[in-house]
Amino acid sequence: QVQLVESGGGLVQAGGSLILACTASRNIFSFAHMGWYRQPPGKQRELVAIMASSGGADIADSVKGRFTISRDSAMNTMYLQMNNLKPEDTAVYYCNARSYAVDYWGRGTQVTVSS
């Protein structure tokens, strides 16, 4: 059973920064890709950023230029660096990892950005 453990969420003022971390219970290269999703209040869950096992990454237009995705394979950890945060970034952020057979999710971490 794969476990994804998230950390780094919290309350921040607009313009501030946060780093989210997702640590997996197995080698992250065993996944086809990993990514971050978010669900703002009253809205659908949406993709924020995704990284393939090769290291290639795609960033959603809404956060491009402000957020970056990275990994530390030795620590089985994926990061989301969030800069210049805006109130519309307020959401529950979820870590996701996908293999051929199974789609894994973390429990989510709340990010709240105040004006």
Side-chain angles (χ1 to χ4, degrees):
Q1 182 75 18
V2 171
Q3 302 294 128
L4 302 176
V5 180
E6 299 153 324
S7 62
L11 176 65
V12 65
Q13 291 184 322
S17 298
L18 286 173
I19 302 174
L20 304 184
C22 172
T23 299
S25 61
R26 76 185 198 195
N27 193 313
I28 61 175
F29 289 122
S30 67
F31 302 112
H33 57 262
M34 298 183 70
W36 292 95
Y37 291 73
R38 69 184 183 185
Q39 187 166 16
K43 294 185 177 182
Q44 297 287 105
R45 189 175 298 186
E46 64 184 20
L47 177 67
V48 177
I50 190 165
M51 175 174 284
S53 61
S54 65
D58 289 314
I59 310 295
D61 288 343
S62 59
V63 302
K64 192 172 295 183
R66 299 187 297 118
F67 292 10
T68 57
I69 188 170
S70 63
R71 67 186 181 190
D72 183 341
S73 58
M75 298 297 294
N76 290 339
T77 300
M78 175 184 64
Y79 301 95
L80 184 68
Q81 174 70 58
M82 304 187 294
N83 297 322
N84 300 317
L85 284 160
K86 303 175 180 180
E88 53 262 42
D89 294 320
T90 294
V92 178
Y93 284 72
Y94 296 91
C95 177
N96 171 256
R98 295 180 181 178
S99 67
Y100 175 79
V102 184
D103 193 9
Y104 301 100
W105 293 92
R107 290 186 172 89
T109 185
Q110 178 70 48
V111 172
T112 302
V113 184
S114 62
S115 299

